[in-house]
Amino acid sequence: MGLATSGKLPKPLTWLLNYSRSYSLWMFQWGLACCAIEMGAALAGPRYDVMRLGVIPLPASPRQSDLIVISGTVTDKMAPAIKRLYEQMPDPKYVISMGSCANCGGPYWDSYSVTKGVDQIIPVDVYVPGCPPRPEAFVEGIVMLQKRIRNEDLAPRWRGESWEPIVVA
């Protein structure tokens, strides 16, 4: 990807790569608490099936995925494992933080053992609020991430530069 990192890709090729990447997101699920049940409803249920959006929730390892969804309470003891999994993912990689506990600590924000948001460990692209968040909000977060991927410039992303996160309303 020498042309991609230098920023010299032609616009039609950039559009084609972004479009294809936005509809082939291999998702790695990291369900830690009650939000994982809502994520499971969005993954396997017939009403909120995310596979129709091009999100494949099947990779067995982070080395095969390019999207990680963190849902639930992130404790300080779990933080190094999440960081290690994120670092094993190939670039470009995306993160969705799902639920109040993953976003900011939730009702446990004052606890000595709870991380005050997964963004203190890894960079987050999309925040899905709620306690627990509805499957519709999770699907909306995926759609917003796909729009961002379709409009992004490949060169800064492959160089590891981050961008402003999206908050699902």
Side-chain angles (χ1 to χ4, degrees):
M1 297 312 276
L3 285 176
T5 55
S6 66
K8 296 178 183 174
L9 277 177
K11 287 226 181 258
L13 186 57
T14 301
W15 179 87
L16 179 66
L17 287 174
N18 286 343
Y19 189 82
S20 60
R21 283 187 315 113
S22 70
Y23 286 108
S24 65
L25 291 170
W26 287 71
M27 185 174 82
F28 185 69
Q29 307 99 357
W30 193 257
L32 298 168
C34 48
C35 296
I37 296 169
E38 298 295 327
M39 182 174 59
L43 297 177
R47 187 171 183 180
Y48 308 108
D49 183 25
V50 296
M51 287 187 77
R52 66 189 162 96
L53 297 173
V55 177
I56 298 123
L58 301 174
S61 100
R63 295 174 193 209
Q64 300 167 343
S65 60
D66 50 2
L67 167 65
I68 185 169
V69 178
I70 311 288
S71 60
T73 309
V74 179
T75 60
D76 292 339
K77 200 172 190 179
M78 188 62 67
I82 292 173
K83 178 117 174 117
R84 186 177 324 115
L85 290 172
Y86 177 77
E87 289 171 352
Q88 289 177 359
M89 293 171 59
D91 284 326
K93 49 191 165 190
Y94 305 96
V95 178
I96 293 179
S97 175
M98 182 175 169
S100 295
C101 292
N103 292 346
C104 64
Y108 313 109
W109 68 272
D110 200 20
S111 174
Y112 68 93
S113 63
V114 173
T115 304
K116 311 304 186 262
V118 76
D119 58 348
Q120 293 185 356
I121 307 164
I122 57 177
V124 175
D125 295 304
V126 177
Y127 291 97
V128 179
C131 184
R134 296 285 305 147
E136 298 95 346
F138 178 57
V139 170
E140 184 180 349
I142 289 173
V143 169
M144 293 173 90
L145 179 65
Q146 288 175 332
K147 286 180 184 175
R148 175 173 266 189
I149 292 170
R150 281 195 302 270
N151 296 327
E152 80 177 326
D153 186 18
L154 294 175
R157 193 63 181 181
W158 266 317
R159 284 193 302 255
E161 298 174 14
S162 62
W163 51 21
E164 289 297 315
I166 300 172
V167 178
V168 176

